[in-house]
Amino acid sequence: MVKTGFDPATYRLNLHLHLLISSGRLAQARDLFDRMAPHRRNAFSLNRMLSGYARFGQAAAAHSLFLSSPPRLRDAVTWTVMMGALAAAPGRAADAVSLFRDMLREGVAPDRVAVSTVLNVPADSTTTASLHPFAVKLGLLRSSVVVCNTLLDAYCKHGLLSAGRRVFRETPHRDAITYNAIIMGCSKEGLHGEALDLFADMRRAGLGATQFTFSSVLTVATGTGDLRLGRQVHALVARSISACNVFVNNSLLDLYSKCDCLGEMEKLFDEMPERDNVSYNVMIAGYAWSRCAGTVLRLFREMQLLGFDRQALPYATLLSVAGSLPHVGIGKQIHAQLVLLGLSSEDLVGNALIDMYSKCGMLDAAKANFANKNDKTGVSWTAMITGHVQNGRQEEALQLFCDMRRAGLSPDRATFSSIIKASSSLAMIGLGRQLHSYLIRSGHMSSVFSGSALLDMYAKCGCLDEALQTFDEMPERNSISWNAVISAYAHYGQAKNAIKMFEGMLRYGFNPDSVTFLSVLSACSHNGLAEECMKYFELMKHEYGMSPWKEHYSCVIDTLGRVGHFDKVQKMLSEMPFEDDPIIWSSILHSCRIHGNQDLARVAAEKLFSMGPTDATPYVILSNIYAKAGKWEDAARVKKTMRDRGLRKESGYSWVEFKQKIYSFSSNDQTNPMIAEIKDELERLYKEMDKQGYKPDTSCALHQVDDDLKLESLKYHSERLAIAFALINTPPGTPIRVMKNLSACLDCHAVIKMMSKIVNRDIIVRDSSRFHHFKDGVCSCGDYW
């Protein structure tokens, strides 16, 4: 005390002040501070009082004391403590930076702690750049690794990676924190290769990896879907002290979750010595993505029993699970909890409620939640638009998009993705092209999500060439882009190109996901490639460790059935870890129709009768199978059963777009004002086809009627009327695109092939499962569908 020149009385007062603040008695400490004689107070007294206010979050009181204190008591520590207090206070970051400038104006030289403190302030990038020269002028970048690291970290957090790289290169003495900052900056900007090179440099420099290093490298592995790299990092973690760190383990959980490695994710979770709220959230999100609803609900209940903060539970994820099942009962229970906790009006869960009710088909409930939101953000509008698209209300979705624009909100890439899907479902290529132009004008064209949505739209509107051009012109691609182009080839029946794209995706370093394999298997199904289908199904399970969805099994069963491998179909059914459903038995029934397997057809039809008692389709197919085999009594019995149960066959209809308006046709439609001209055009075409040897396939016509009626019923099927309408109203040589709700019959398929040759036009027909591109008398499906 004597050596430092302190007055004994001042020393005792400061000691008392310190004890009061340490025990949290701020009011008493301030009373003592105020009662100290002015000549007894010194810089320590002021700094200790300011630190106490800062420690207990009372930035306003600290700032008031700071402003009222005489300049003689303020030193560099005083300014630094005050800057730290303001930086930690909500909404006062700008005040902290302003205080640093005041410090310089008053001639107080900042030290490395002061500079590091202000660099840590969550201000904007301009502030960081303006503080850089001060650090250089004071020589801190050469003498203090702490300042270098803080400046580097600030640049990386603001996305100024080039400036960050410059600081990194000029840092004379690098430590683990230096590398962590630059690695994290690179991984954040998607520069995964550079981040890995820096990690390798760090290892060569003999610097030990910390929890932040491992987390950053795992972010790289997760971003690239590089499971092998992730496992290598896991091995390094297991040999380090970070093995018990919940922060690192959560990053590993996230990696395994996003790579669909549920087994490894679960094993790690079970072995974790410590789990937090994030651990459970990652697990729930992983299982939700893989549609393991039972496990999601079990983990959620476990979180509740363990006493986690109820307001921090993953309600939005649970609502997403309820929507994906769909299970509105679960969704309503979560909704009730949110109301009790007073959280239902929060933006995140409010939007999740709109999404859940939409996916459960309760659009009115979704609208009510949307209407009750006080602050309708762009995300809220997008959720509502998406809900209408999901429920087949595309026109209303388009109207909502216009209302959103009128409300002064700018659509983002998610909004564009949804509204482009609306135009895809309506097959309105004119509207889709308008949206494409709007995307370019709004600056969203560079977004990989918008590009992928456009690709999908062009593909679903029958414009494969434009879809492929969109893919080729995308400045950036991700797994969604590759999935979209593989799916496009699959729906056009171009299995070889789909597989070629799949191989290209692997070459470019993108790992396939469950959706990728679903598209590849679908492509194999459309072309009857049973051997290739089984190859990719096994690859998915064993090479990539993915658990197939029911849809994957459905594709495999469909492929095997179409080529007549019914024994393998039965084997696959017995191995499938899911309950069979109408989609699977429908595909089996269609395969039986192709190969005339009456016994299995009867079994499949009975299954479908019990699963979907209101669907007439299996009755119609079974009746046609019997009729084709000449078993008219059996066919009539099935038809009678269908009538007795009050079921009617779904009417087939086709539609075509002309001048941004949709024109629909049903079989033998008489409602179109141009019907006389349409029939004349068809008659002209039939005469040309007769000259080329066309023979109608009456097996596709009504049964048990005379031949003249059979021929008449074939002539005016809905797709033929739509094509004739387009031929009359569009310029010669332009492609014709027709959409149809059911599969085309064999005779229509043959007729459209001949039409395409006669009129010298491309005719693209999208039926209920795929596209048929007719050109010069040939169909892209190779007569296999």
Side-chain angles (χ1 to χ4, degrees):
M1 179 182 66
V2 172
K3 184 177 178 181
T4 55
F6 278 166
D7 175 73
T10 300
Y11 174 78
R12 287 193 298 272
L13 289 169
N14 282 341
L15 181 60
H16 191 192
L17 185 70
H18 173 74
L19 292 171
L20 288 171
I21 291 171
S22 297
S23 60
R25 291 176 285 177
L26 282 181
Q28 292 172 267
R30 181 58 189 267
D31 183 59
L32 174 62
F33 181 84
D34 290 340
R35 286 190 286 106
M36 290 173 70
H39 68 279
R40 298 288 185 199
R41 295 179 197 151
N42 58 15
F44 177 87
S45 314
L46 176 60
N47 295 344
R48 192 66 193 90
M49 196 67 230
L50 291 174
S51 298
Y53 279 133
R55 176 185 169 191
F56 290 99
Q58 297 187 25
H63 200 200
S64 176
L65 175 59
F66 175 83
L67 293 174
S68 64
S69 63
R72 67 177 181 81
L73 294 184
R74 300 175 189 164
D75 58 11
V77 175
T78 313
W79 289 89
T80 303
V81 169
M82 194 61 242
M83 281 188 289
L86 291 172
R92 310 257 345 229
D95 293 337
V97 176
S98 178
L99 196 67
F100 180 76
R101 296 195 176 103
D102 292 342
M103 177 184 181
L104 296 173
R105 277 194 289 269
E106 292 201 12
V108 181
D111 58 11
R112 61 182 180 84
V113 179
V115 174
S116 297
T117 300
V118 76
L119 284 170
N120 268 319
V121 173
D124 55 28
S125 57
T126 306
T127 302
T128 302
S130 66
L131 291 171
H132 190 165
F134 288 109
V136 175
K137 185 177 179 180
L138 295 168
L140 295 174
L141 292 185
R142 293 189 174 276
S143 61
S144 174
V145 69
V146 173
V147 173
C148 290
N149 291 344
T150 309
L151 181 62
L152 170 59
D153 185 60
Y155 275 132
C156 290
K157 282 178 178 175
H158 291 302
L160 300 173
L161 196 58
S162 58
R165 287 195 193 101
R166 189 170 67 250
V167 173
F168 178 79
R169 287 194 300 268
E170 294 173 357
T171 301
H173 306 290
R174 300 168 185 163
D175 58 12
I177 298 172
T178 318
Y179 277 95
N180 287 344
I182 191 68
I183 291 171
M184 191 173 292
C186 289
S187 65
K188 180 183 173 184
E189 295 299 314
L191 300 172
H192 302 307
E194 186 175 344
L196 291 177
D197 290 341
L198 286 163
F199 177 61
D201 290 345
M202 180 182 181
R203 301 272 294 165
R204 282 191 291 269
L207 297 171
T210 68
Q211 60 180 10
F212 300 106
T213 319
F214 287 131
S215 179
S216 295
V217 178
L218 286 169
T219 300
V220 170
T222 304
T224 58
D226 192 338
L227 186 57
R228 181 175 297 177
L229 170 63
R231 286 171 174 153
Q232 288 175 343
V233 176
H234 192 171
L236 289 174
V237 170
R239 294 198 297 270
S240 74
I241 59 172
S242 295
C244 297
N245 185 278
V246 67
F247 179 67
V248 175
N249 282 329
N250 287 343
S251 296
L252 280 167
L253 284 177
D254 189 50
L255 166 79
Y256 290 132
S257 165
K258 289 175 179 171
C259 289
D260 285 342
C261 297
L262 299 189
E264 288 173 269
M265 180 182 76
E266 187 172 3
K267 183 174 184 294
L268 173 63
F269 182 76
D270 290 340
E271 294 173 352
M272 283 172 64
E274 180 189 354
R275 301 169 187 161
D276 61 9
N277 185 54
V278 176
S279 314
Y280 277 91
N281 275 281
V282 172
M283 290 291 289
I284 286 173
Y287 281 117
W289 170 252
S290 297
R291 307 183 184 185
C292 302
T295 308
V296 168
L297 295 173
R298 177 180 61 78
L299 287 168
F300 181 71
R301 293 191 191 100
E302 193 174 312
M303 285 188 79
Q304 291 176 308
L305 293 172
L306 289 171
F308 285 102
D309 181 5
R310 292 183 68 191
Q311 297 200 351
L313 295 179
Y315 293 108
T317 304
L318 264 291
L319 289 169
S320 176
V321 170
S324 62
L325 286 174
H327 195 304
V328 75
I330 294 172
K332 285 182 175 179
Q333 289 180 38
I334 301 299
H335 192 174
Q337 289 191 39
L338 290 167
V339 171
L340 288 172
L341 293 168
L343 299 175
S344 59
S345 61
E346 287 195 1
D347 192 51
L348 179 64
V349 294
N351 296 333
L353 282 167
I354 294 170
D355 180 65
M356 181 275 295
Y357 282 120
S358 298
K359 287 178 178 174
C360 290
M362 298 181 66
L363 207 52
D364 287 340
K367 288 178 181 177
N369 278 276
F370 179 73
N372 290 335
K373 284 179 68 69
N374 295 324
D375 183 20
K376 295 180 178 68
T377 62
V379 177
S380 311
W381 282 94
T382 300
M384 204 66 240
I385 290 168
T386 304
H388 280 77
V389 173
Q390 290 166 341
N391 284 276
R393 309 269 279 273
Q394 284 83 12
E395 292 88 350
E396 290 179 54
L398 293 170
Q399 183 58 53
L400 278 168
F401 179 71
C402 296
D403 293 343
M404 177 184 178
R405 296 290 318 286
R406 278 193 288 269
L409 292 167
S410 298
D412 61 12
R413 62 190 188 187
T415 320
F416 279 117
S417 294
S418 292
I419 206 66
I420 289 170
K421 284 179 184 175
S423 65
S424 301
S425 300
L426 292 170
M428 294 183 70
I429 187 60
L431 174 61
R433 287 176 175 141
Q434 282 187 3
L435 289 169
H436 191 166
S437 300
Y438 188 84
L439 270 171
I440 294 171
R441 293 197 305 273
S442 62
H444 286 286
M445 195 54 226
S446 60
S447 164
V448 67
F449 298 97
S450 300
S452 300
L454 273 175
L455 193 165
D456 184 63
M457 180 274 296
Y458 279 124
K460 288 179 178 174
C461 288
C463 303
L464 183 60
D465 290 341
E466 286 174 87
L468 298 177
Q469 183 181 346
T470 302
F471 180 78
D472 291 337
E473 293 175 354
M474 288 176 70
E476 180 188 354
R477 299 169 187 159
N478 62 7
S479 57
I480 297 172
S481 322
W482 286 96
N483 286 348
V485 76
I486 293 169
S487 175
Y489 274 127
H491 281 97
Y492 278 80
Q494 298 188 25
K496 290 183 179 178
N497 283 332
I499 292 170
K500 183 179 177 182
M501 277 294 176
F502 174 79
E503 301 294 342
M505 178 181 185
L506 300 183
R507 280 197 306 275
Y508 278 94
F510 292 94
N511 280 341
D513 57 17
S514 299
V515 177
T516 317
F517 279 106
L518 188 60
S519 294
V520 173
L521 296 177
S522 175
C524 294
S525 171
H526 287 316
N527 287 78
L529 304 179
E531 187 177 331
E532 288 84 349
C533 184
M534 291 305 302
K535 169 189 167 183
Y536 289 110
F537 185 70
E538 295 300 320
L539 184 73
M540 172 189 182
K541 291 195 299 181
H542 301 301
E543 179 70 20
Y544 290 95
M546 297 180 193
S547 301
W549 299 343
K550 187 184 288 188
E551 290 84 350
H552 296 106
Y553 281 98
S554 181
C555 277
V556 174
I557 289 169
D558 184 59
T559 308
L560 295 173
R562 282 172 177 271
V563 296
H565 294 168
F566 292 110
D567 54 338
K568 293 181 180 179
V569 168
Q570 298 280 13
K571 184 173 182 293
M572 189 63 65
L573 280 171
S574 65
E575 293 175 353
M576 186 173 66
F578 304 102
E579 290 291 328
D580 44 21
D581 64 6
I583 294 174
I584 289 174
W585 282 109
S586 291
S587 71
I588 293 173
L589 186 58
H590 280 284
S591 299
C592 292
R593 176 183 59 79
I594 294 168
H595 296 281
N597 188 332
Q598 297 175 37
D599 294 334
L600 185 56
R602 193 180 304 109
V603 173
E606 291 295 337
K607 287 276 189 182
L608 288 166
F609 295 162
S610 62
M611 291 177 178
T614 61
D615 185 8
T617 304
Y619 295 90
V620 175
I621 295 174
L622 184 61
S623 174
N624 289 341
I625 290 172
Y626 285 137
K628 188 175 181 180
K631 296 185 176 182
W632 299 107
E633 290 184 5
D634 289 334
R637 177 176 49 79
V638 174
K639 282 286 184 71
K640 183 178 183 301
T641 304
M642 183 179 82
R643 287 194 299 271
D644 291 345
R645 294 179 181 178
L647 303 179
R648 293 174 59 86
K649 178 184 175 183
E650 181 183 359
S651 299
Y653 62 92
S654 303
W655 65 97
V656 65
E657 180 188 357
F658 176 61
K659 293 185 177 179
Q660 295 189 25
K661 186 178 178 181
I662 297 295
Y663 293 86
S664 297
F665 299 87
S666 59
S667 291
N668 203 25
D669 199 330
Q670 301 295 323
T671 59
N672 192 286
M674 297 181 65
I675 192 63
E677 295 172 70
I678 290 169
K679 287 188 174 182
D680 288 344
E681 178 68 10
L682 284 175
E683 290 300 330
R684 183 185 70 80
L685 290 170
Y686 290 144
K687 288 177 182 177
E688 289 295 323
M689 285 189 280
D690 286 340
K691 293 177 184 177
Q692 297 183 22
Y694 163 64
K695 299 294 180 185
D697 184 350
T698 54
S699 68
C700 303
L702 298 169
H703 299 300
Q704 295 181 314
V705 297
D706 62 42
D707 290 342
D708 289 340
L709 283 176
K710 284 183 179 180
L711 292 173
E712 189 67 21
S713 70
L714 282 175
K715 288 172 69 175
Y716 303 120
H717 277 188
S718 63
E719 55 266 57
R720 306 190 194 191
L721 297 174
I723 291 170
F725 173 84
L727 285 171
I728 296 168
N729 289 287
T730 56
T734 57
I736 295 172
R737 295 178 174 86
V738 174
M739 309 298 154
K740 183 174 170 62
N741 66 324
L742 302 176
S743 294
C745 70
L746 290 169
D747 190 62
C748 282
H749 194 267
V751 163
I752 300 171
K753 283 199 296 183
M754 298 187 79
M755 283 181 176
S756 69
K757 186 175 182 180
I758 291 168
V759 300
N760 194 26
R761 292 223 215 172
D762 286 14
I763 303 175
I764 299 101
V765 177
R766 187 182 84 184
D767 66 12
S768 57
S769 60
R770 62 175 296 171
F771 277 94
H772 298 265
H773 188 157
F774 301 91
K775 183 176 183 178
D776 297 328
V778 178
C779 180
S780 59
C781 73
D783 297 337
Y784 184 93
W785 82 97

